[in-house]
Amino acid sequence: MEISQLLKGVLDLAVLAVLREEDGYGYDVLRRLRQAGLDEVGDASVYGTLRRLYKAGLLTSYVVPSEEGPHRKYYSLNEPGGRRLVESAQTWQAFASTMNGLVGEAA
């Protein structure tokens, strides 16, 4: 099974979880996801996910000037985003538990 296919279903959850810890701009979120072990996540996927979550009202954003280049748009988890994170985490836990039960000793 390809990791990229699994990522499509859980990238929203992963991005929300990263932003729960600390606000971040696009590349920072990507770097933190990769540091957490999601090496296969693509740049465009993360940037698109951030834009989609923002448009859905789950994130807020603000711009911080940068002396090293263009200004950076930071994203932060807001209250609706926090609720979505909790709901999605519960769904993921239930799903992962079911799959662990099905797969069992095959792994």
Side-chain angles (χ1 to χ4, degrees):
M1 177 176 292
E2 288 189 34
I3 296 292
S4 62
Q5 292 300 313
L6 293 172
L7 276 172
K8 287 180 183 178
V10 296
L11 190 54
D12 285 11
L13 173 58
V15 167
L16 292 173
V18 164
L19 291 174
R20 171 191 58 201
E21 302 299 323
E22 181 181 3
D23 296 357
Y25 55 94
Y27 182 75
D28 177 54
V29 171
L30 175 66
R31 180 186 52 78
R32 288 159 51 192
L33 288 169
R34 288 181 175 164
Q35 283 180 336
L38 298 178
D39 299 325
E40 294 83 5
V41 69
D43 299 22
S45 296
V46 171
Y47 287 102
T49 297
L50 286 167
R51 283 191 300 273
R52 193 169 33 74
L53 292 172
Y54 175 76
K55 286 181 182 178
L58 303 175
L59 302 176
T60 55
S61 70
Y62 56 94
V63 175
V64 174
S66 173
E67 294 181 16
E68 301 173 5
H71 299 325
R72 292 183 174 152
K73 185 175 187 177
Y74 278 76
Y75 292 92
S76 60
L77 193 64
N78 59 21
E79 189 175 322
R83 286 194 304 269
R84 174 70 61 86
L85 173 60
V86 169
E87 294 164 2
S88 296
Q90 290 170 345
T91 300
W92 172 256
Q93 291 294 337
F95 179 75
S97 177
T98 299
M99 289 305 297
N100 285 335
L102 287 171
V103 172
E105 298 175 14

